[in-house]
Amino acid sequence: MEIKIALAGNPNCGKTTLFNALTGSNQYVGNWPGVTVEKKEGRLKGHGDAVIQDLPGIYSLSPYTLEEVVARSYLVGEKPDAILNIVDGTNIERNLYLTTQLIELGLPVVVAVNMIDLVRKNGDRIDLAKLGDALGCQVLEMSALKGEGGMAAAEAALALAKGHRAGELPHVFTGSVEHAIAHIEESIAGKVDDRFLRWYAIKVFERDERVMEELRLSASLKAHLEQHIADCEQELDDDAESIITNQRYAYISGVIERSVKKRRAKHSLSISDKIDRIVTNRVLALPIFAAVMFLVYYISISTVGDIVTEWTNETLFSGLICGNLSAWMEGIGCAPWLVGLVVDGIVGGVGAVIGFVPQMLILFLMLSVLEDIGYMARVAFIMDRIFRRFGLSGKSFIPMLIASGCGVPGVMASRTIENERDRRMTIMTTCFIPCGAKMPIIGLFAGALFGGSGLVATSAYFIGVAAVIFSGIVLKKTKMFSGDPAPFVMELPAYHVPAVGNVLRATWERGWSFIKRAGTVILASSVVLWFLQSFGFVNGVFGMVEDNNTSLLASIGSAISFLFAPLGFGSWKPAVATFTGLIAKENVVGTFGVLYGFAEVAEDGAEIWGNIATDFTQLSAYSFMIFNLLCAPCFAAMGAIKREMNSAKWTFAAIGYMCGLAYLASLVVYQLGLLFTGHGFGVGTAAAVLALLAAVYLLVRKNRYDDNPLAVRSVTAASKKKEMIS
């Protein structure tokens, strides 16, 4: 029978590094049932019967953030056989808060003090024996980064779990309970008045009647405990959270005072602190961040990544694979439809995804390095004070930054945001940022109608940012998203040299997820697009067509083109291009090329500039560009939205919101542009004016939910109160 050992600890305490070392390649990644929080588990090396469960990094068991809800539900509901609690030795006092809560659960616990090498380097000393005696559980030292002590800690937890399963009473139980009883007896004698420890003991006894019987508690002590239960329930009021928290920290301080000796003066700065004085400086933080991100994107997108991507697209797929495959299939006499399906639909669809993989892998590699050394945590901290002004948290910036390369990993990056409201809002706004696949659209219209002006591309980014800001302000005034952004509490880890294994593993996991999710969606959609472009009715007969004007795609475009007439592009060709853009944004330029009779076009569509200039005006072209930048992203990104939302209702809501905002923005730009250029006032103009007034009203209106905001402190206090009284 499997033995489950849960890894629990604060964020950035070294849990992931230890998990990778303990399980190696024998690990499985998925989502927890019903939520998008990542679930990792794997077999302990050399112990086939032991499963290591990597819980989300949490600061406490208060069920507030999604991670805390998942971790608490697992620990309390499913009850693993043992808990291996990873504690950052350089921030031991802060980490022990969670440790005390884990011990209270009544499960076997082994505490592993991580980063012991840094503790020694700082000249500090942790007396593990005294610490273990104070906590009532076994305490071991380890350095996950250097591979020291991790397996010993896991095997200790495994032994404890086996002993507990065999019916033995582990030291963790007797130690915890005996310590609690000692404090209760001292309180009876009037030596201490510690409500936290009294309450802690009572909850242990309430949860495990067997412990009470094993310890043979006296009748007088049991009676005293019953009185304590009544007293504590009367004492617990709205300030119960503060009482319990303060007493818990007072207890931890006493433990630290007895078992930890610090060499450095209390207020002296570490090397990481000194670096942070520059990196997180109010004046220098943003310029440094901009320089770092420019370097990351320059390398991953414009230099190394661009070279590899161009070779993949032009040489590997277009020349070698598609060209040779097409010639071979035609040579053996395959039907034209089969050649088109395989070469254009399947292989071409895969190539559309694979072509972006080199850039994505290099980008993920560099972001993983920044994350592993501890810089990305600082970025979220830096951006929080800016994003908070319009309803988002600092963690929302990372997905938006990544989305400037590709919306799929940008959406996926939103899972790092704990608060469900903030995460959903981030997913709904991330794809407003122009991704690399939208750049050809901008280049096409900038070259065809604006003389190649760089202001067009610049304005595209400003439009995306404006849509994010507008959405943040407006959505926060709705019931679904009301309340202040979640308080931004983040442990800033000490800077350290990145671990090669961690970086490569993180790069591979993100890259494979991109290939798997994006590839399957685009592959399927490319086959559908090929079919719609290649087949149609000619003279009442259904079959393959040579002229796209008679294809099913043209029929679909003609049927929906009236929707875009108020936006300035009401013919079927722009409608079809918009439709194919939902499959993959880079399809827009290629679709125009095919519809104008060009088999192949450059990335910026230079060959069709004249045709575009004939069918569009500057105003209608800009309106088309705005709509396609802000509307629903490609199918691959929609698939990522569905996965991260984990709800069909919220997925449709997100896509509907993006399309609606894109339509109204394009309507306002085109109709008011016509008005200002002397084309008179019409029904479309009236609709645009109403839309603009509605947008202004939504921005300036009072938030009626401010009277009853989601106050984090009160919710947390209520949750804790409910937990303690229940």
Side-chain angles (χ1 to χ4, degrees):
M1 188 174 179
E2 289 183 345
I3 293 178
K4 291 189 176 182
I5 301 174
L7 289 186
N10 289 187
N12 300 312
C13 69
K15 245 179 352 78
T16 300
T17 303
L18 176 62
F19 176 75
N20 292 335
L22 295 178
T23 61
S25 60
N26 302 317
Q27 57 183 251
Y28 312 92
V29 181
N31 284 345
W32 289 89
V35 295
T36 57
V37 177
E38 196 169 79
K39 175 182 182 180
K40 290 185 177 181
E41 63 181 21
R43 299 279 177 182
L44 179 63
K45 290 179 181 179
H47 301 275
D49 61 338
V51 175
I52 305 294
Q53 185 79 63
D54 186 14
L55 298 183
I58 56 175
Y59 293 102
S60 73
L61 292 183
S62 305
Y64 171 61
T65 69
L66 191 56
E67 271 85 352
E68 289 171 338
V69 171
V70 166
R72 186 179 186 279
S73 298
Y74 177 76
L75 292 171
V76 175
E78 297 190 32
K79 291 188 181 295
D81 296 293
I83 300 174
L84 180 54
N85 175 215
I86 314 303
V87 171
D88 178 0
T90 62
N91 291 304
I92 190 167
E93 185 168 3
R94 197 153 49 240
N95 280 236
L96 286 182
Y97 189 93
L98 174 64
T99 302
T100 60
Q101 291 183 317
L102 294 177
I103 293 173
E104 291 172 24
L105 293 175
L107 296 171
V109 177
V110 172
V111 175
V113 179
N114 191 26
M115 305 184 193
I116 197 66
D117 52 325
L118 296 180
V119 173
R120 294 175 184 141
K121 185 177 180 181
N122 293 336
D124 301 336
R125 188 172 64 85
I126 300 176
D127 191 322
L128 301 178
K130 288 184 178 179
L131 183 59
D133 183 63
L135 294 174
C137 64
Q138 187 176 4
V139 179
L140 302 173
E141 62 181 33
M142 59 172 280
S143 174
L145 195 60
K146 294 189 175 182
E148 300 174 359
M151 184 57 72
E155 290 176 343
L158 179 60
L160 196 63
K162 288 181 177 179
H164 175 48
R165 180 175 285 187
E168 301 172 5
L169 189 64
H171 173 67
V172 63
F173 281 17
T174 57
S176 299
V177 175
E178 288 171 351
H179 276 72
I181 291 176
H183 278 275
I184 292 175
E185 290 176 339
E186 289 179 357
S187 70
I188 295 173
K191 296 180 180 178
V192 297
D193 181 17
D194 193 335
R195 283 179 289 182
F196 159 62
L197 286 173
R198 282 189 295 156
W199 180 252
Y200 161 49
I202 293 166
K203 295 308 292 180
V204 170
F205 300 151
E206 282 185 313
R207 275 196 296 266
D208 201 331
E209 293 291 336
R210 186 173 62 84
V211 172
M212 298 178 67
E213 295 301 324
E214 289 279 351
L215 294 175
R216 304 182 186 281
L217 301 180
S218 63
S220 60
L221 184 53
K222 285 184 180 180
H224 197 77
L225 290 177
E226 291 174 358
Q227 182 61 46
H228 274 319
I229 292 175
D231 292 344
C232 287
E233 287 178 344
Q234 290 179 2
E235 291 173 0
L236 289 175
D237 52 20
D238 290 338
D239 198 33
E241 177 197 12
S242 299
I243 296 172
I244 300 297
T245 300
N246 290 337
Q247 291 298 323
R248 193 184 296 274
Y249 272 120
Y251 168 71
I252 293 172
S253 296
V255 171
I256 294 297
E257 187 177 350
R258 293 193 299 271
S259 56
V260 179
K261 301 299 180 184
K262 296 278 189 179
R263 188 187 71 171
R264 186 188 296 119
K266 189 173 182 179
H267 299 292
S268 62
L269 297 178
S270 65
I271 294 176
S272 291
D273 293 333
K274 292 176 182 178
I275 295 174
D276 280 340
R277 296 187 72 174
I278 301 174
V279 172
T280 61
N281 181 275
R282 281 187 170 271
V283 177
L284 298 177
L286 288 178
I288 292 174
F289 170 66
V292 170
M293 288 299 105
F294 173 79
L295 184 62
V296 167
Y297 277 91
Y298 180 74
I299 295 174
S300 60
I301 304 297
S302 300
T303 56
V304 180
D306 185 57
I307 294 171
V308 181
T309 292
E310 184 177 354
W311 180 86
T312 304
N313 284 330
E314 303 298 330
T315 304
L316 180 60
F317 273 91
S318 181
L320 294 176
I321 298 179
C322 290
N324 292 329
L325 183 60
S326 178
W328 177 76
M329 293 185 72
E330 291 173 356
I332 63 174
C334 290
W337 69 266
L338 182 59
V339 175
L341 172 62
V342 174
V343 176
D344 299 327
I346 298 176
V347 178
V350 173
V353 178
I354 300 300
F356 285 100
V357 169
Q359 289 182 339
M360 291 299 101
L361 287 179
I362 295 172
L363 176 63
F364 289 150
L365 175 67
M366 301 191 73
L367 290 176
S368 296
V369 170
L370 293 177
E371 185 177 7
D372 204 48
I373 65 176
Y375 181 68
M376 294 308 281
R378 273 79 180 175
V379 172
F381 168 75
I382 292 166
M383 298 307 300
D384 183 66
R385 60 175 176 260
I386 299 174
F387 271 47
R388 188 167 293 274
R389 295 181 181 178
F390 50 87
L392 293 169
S393 74
K395 289 187 177 181
S396 301
F397 180 75
I398 304 300
M400 294 178 186
L401 176 67
I402 296 174
S404 64
C406 178
V408 174
V411 171
M412 289 164 54
S414 66
R415 64 177 49 186
T416 61
I417 303 173
E418 298 92 345
N419 183 273
E420 190 174 34
R421 298 189 320 272
D422 294 349
R423 184 173 61 256
R424 284 175 174 168
M425 185 184 295
T426 301
I427 293 172
M428 293 177 69
T429 56
T430 288
C431 290
F432 287 143
I433 303 298
C435 66
K438 296 176 182 177
M439 289 299 101
I441 303 175
I442 298 171
L444 171 66
F445 289 101
L449 290 156
F450 296 96
S453 173
L455 292 176
V456 176
T458 303
S459 67
Y461 278 96
F462 277 110
I463 290 169
V465 172
V468 172
I469 294 174
F470 173 84
S471 300
I473 296 174
V474 170
L475 292 178
K476 272 297 178 182
K477 296 179 181 180
T478 64
K479 185 176 181 179
M480 292 180 295
F481 297 100
S482 62
D484 295 332
F488 192 28
V489 179
M490 175 174 282
E491 188 82 27
L492 296 182
Y495 290 103
H496 59 268
V497 177
V500 176
N502 287 349
V503 171
L504 293 180
R505 188 182 297 273
T507 302
W508 168 249
E509 287 177 356
R510 293 172 178 174
W512 174 243
S513 183
F514 171 78
I515 295 171
K516 184 171 57 176
R517 298 293 173 180
T520 52
V521 174
I522 287 187
L523 175 60
S525 61
S526 295
V527 173
V528 173
L529 177 61
W530 168 84
F531 176 78
L532 294 176
Q533 283 181 326
S534 302
F535 287 82
F537 289 92
V538 179
N539 298 325
V541 178
F542 180 77
M544 291 193 73
V545 297
E546 295 182 1
D547 184 1
N548 279 323
N549 289 284
T550 60
S551 68
L552 293 174
L553 194 60
S555 301
I556 295 173
S558 299
I560 64 174
S561 60
F562 74 95
L563 295 172
F564 303 107
L567 312 185
F569 48 96
S571 62
W572 75 270
K573 290 180 180 178
V576 166
T578 299
F579 176 77
T580 60
L582 295 178
I583 297 173
K585 292 300 180 184
E586 59 267 29
N587 283 344
V588 171
V589 176
T591 299
F592 275 125
V594 172
L595 297 179
Y596 287 129
F598 290 84
E600 293 185 5
V601 294
E603 187 178 18
D604 60 356
E607 295 86 349
I608 58 174
W609 283 2
N611 304 84
I612 292 292
T614 300
D615 289 350
F616 286 86
T617 64
Q618 286 188 330
L619 188 57
S620 64
Y622 201 73
S623 174
F624 179 88
M625 187 183 73
I626 289 176
F627 181 81
N628 280 273
L629 291 180
L630 298 182
C631 75
C634 64
F635 279 5
M638 290 186 203
I641 291 174
K642 172 61 172 66
R643 182 188 181 198
E644 299 307 316
M645 287 290 196
N646 203 32
S647 163
K649 180 184 73 173
W650 275 102
T651 301
F652 287 124
I655 294 173
Y657 175 77
M658 287 185 274
C659 290
L661 182 61
Y663 193 93
L664 293 177
S666 185
L667 175 71
V668 169
V669 168
Y670 181 70
Q671 293 294 338
L672 295 186
L674 288 179
L675 179 64
F676 293 141
T677 53
H679 287 76
F681 193 97
V683 177
T685 315
V689 170
L690 289 176
L692 183 61
L693 292 176
V696 173
Y697 167 74
L698 291 174
L699 284 173
V700 302
R701 70 170 179 153
K702 185 180 183 297
N703 186 354
R704 61 178 180 169
Y705 299 103
D706 270 347
D707 294 332
N708 187 25
L710 182 59
V712 174
R713 182 175 297 275
S714 63
V715 169
T716 306
S719 300
K720 289 188 176 182
K721 181 176 179 179
K722 181 179 179 182
E723 174 187 347
M724 288 183 289
I725 294 179
S726 63

